[in-house]
Amino acid sequence: MRQARRHGLPGYPPPQPTRRCCCRAASTAAAAPARPAWWNLWSTPDVAPRASAALEQQLVLDETPELAAAGLVLRHEFVSAAEEAALLEIADEHLAAVPYADDHYDSVIKGYRECAVSVFPDPHAEAAVQRMRLTAWRATDGAPRRGSGMYPHVQFIDLPPDGQIRAHRDNMKLFGEFTCGLNLLSSAVMRFRPCRPTPTQGEEEEEGEAEEGEGVIDVLLRPRSLYVMHGPLRWHYTHEVLDAAASAEVWRKQPAEEGCGGEERGRRISVIARDLGKPGVFGVEW
Ligand code: OGA
Ligand code: MN
């Protein structure tokens, strides 16, 4: 099977000590949290739940009850200017020696560079990352977690204006309930499309088949905003980040009074935090 994109960087997750529990499975099952309504759908490959059609009408600018139900938390101005500056400095430091890759080996991401960072000596950066993680963890409270915590690193992804992240789902086994991203430097459009696994593919494989043109949801990510993707949008939709030309096309269609005309997709840096996926994927338990 083809190597999966969005695996984080080599070496992750780090091997964890094997933890065997002496209690019987039955006693822990009793304490399992109540499952949200969409949970059963996850195990039903031929059901692709659609988010509210209201979200498909035009670029989504703010969090609404429909967006929340679809599984997207969207917070404007999630980080302060000082936190943003501290994170950008870390990105520059770590990425200085990293060349832009023309194309990722499985073509999901185009024109980009990335690094993983797990230690934040700057208190502003540390505070922002911890707040991101807490927000994502709380947003998925009640979801049946596959893993038992979060990856120790966050990824920084640097996309120049013509860089794009093509439609994909995040790895269905390595990662858990959410993908949490901080959008820095430039506005960007994140596009979601309903997704079905192709007949030769298992539900758990990451790409699936995005349904072109149908049920598309476009969300505007402003600089310093945070998103947490979970639930239906995590499991049943692909997501992508548009390049400058495709973003301009979306913005061109927006009524000027909506306050997103004149946006430009410039260089964009995202900071991505994730939680652990299925135990045992790497032959270790955690
Ligand atoms: C990813 C991804 C989105 C972003 O890394 O899997 O989809 O906001 N990133 O950079
Ligand atoms: Mn992704």
Side-chain angles (χ1 to χ4, degrees), residues 3-15 98 104-105 112-118 151-156 174-175 274 282:
Q3 259 283 12
R5 160 69 193 153
R6 309 289 77 220
H7 58 7
L9 296 186
Y12 287 103
V98 180
H104 192 265
Y105 59 87
Y112 78 107
R113 48 188 194 166
E114 70 183 336
C115 64
V117 180
S118 50
Y151 281 86
H153 66 293
V154 293
Q155 267 169 282
F156 284 74
L174 299 186
F175 304 133
R274 304 173 195 273
F282 282 91

Side-chain angles (χ1 to χ4, degrees), residues 5-6 108-109 114 155 157 159 165-166 168-171 175 179-183 190 221 227 229 239-241 268-272 274:
R5 160 69 193 153
R6 309 289 77 220
V108 163
I109 185 165
E114 70 183 336
Q155 267 169 282
I157 303 175
L159 278 185
I165 300 179
R166 296 192 176 120
H168 66 285
R169 285 186 298 180
D170 287 355
N171 192 291
F175 304 133
T179 299
C180 175
L182 199 54
N183 184 69
M190 185 167 251
L221 303 176
Y227 68 83
M229 180 195 317
H239 58 274
E240 59 203 281
V241 176
R268 167 195 191 250
I269 292 198
S270 54
V271 185
I272 309 289
R274 304 173 195 273

